[in-house]
Amino acid sequence: MLYSDKVMDHFEHPRNVGEIENADGVGQVGNPKCGDIMKMYLKIDGDVITDVKFKTFGCGSAIATSSMATEMIKGKTIGEAMNLTNAAVAEALDGLPAYKMHCSVLAEEAIKAALADYYTKKGEPVPDSLKLPCDCEDGHCCSSCG
């Protein structure tokens, strides 16, 4: 089978889909040319992510990685969320095909973009670990379309 049971479960029954009104941090990554766009919404109380939602336009792997990433940071501290890697997301899904690993990268980047927005809204400097490269012609960060 090309996809693990966990990937299929998170694709068919995604967790935390939607928007958070008055979110403390919102991050969007991707590019229409890539075909995948992820938007993450965070609610943060103190140092803890109390709620997280996502909206993803993309393939099944993009939806599954978004869903899994939200599950992995909900209830965690900002520091723990900052350290989430795409490899950890893929591992939690029992792997992804190599040509779909960019979806896990986008999930990591969407979380980092939302955290960066949180710091910006608070008027605090954005930690270097949250700054994403922006090399796409339309200005959206997207490491998968080069």
Side-chain angles (χ1 to χ4, degrees), residues 28-84:
Q28 180 173 310
V29 296
N31 186 309
K33 293 177 185 173
C34 304
D36 296 317
I37 300 172
M38 293 182 186
K39 193 168 189 176
M40 294 276 179
Y41 302 82
L42 302 176
K43 199 63 162 169
I44 299 171
D45 185 10
D47 188 38
V48 177
I49 297 169
T50 57
D51 197 10
V52 55
K53 303 267 187 227
F54 78 92
K55 292 182 96 177
T56 294
F57 177 82
C59 66
S61 294
I63 292 165
T65 56
S66 298
S67 174
M68 179 57 82
T70 62
E71 288 287 283
M72 293 175 77
I73 66 166
K74 194 173 191 174
K76 303 289 189 208
T77 66
I78 291 170
E80 289 170 318
M82 286 172 62
N83 291 323
L84 181 71

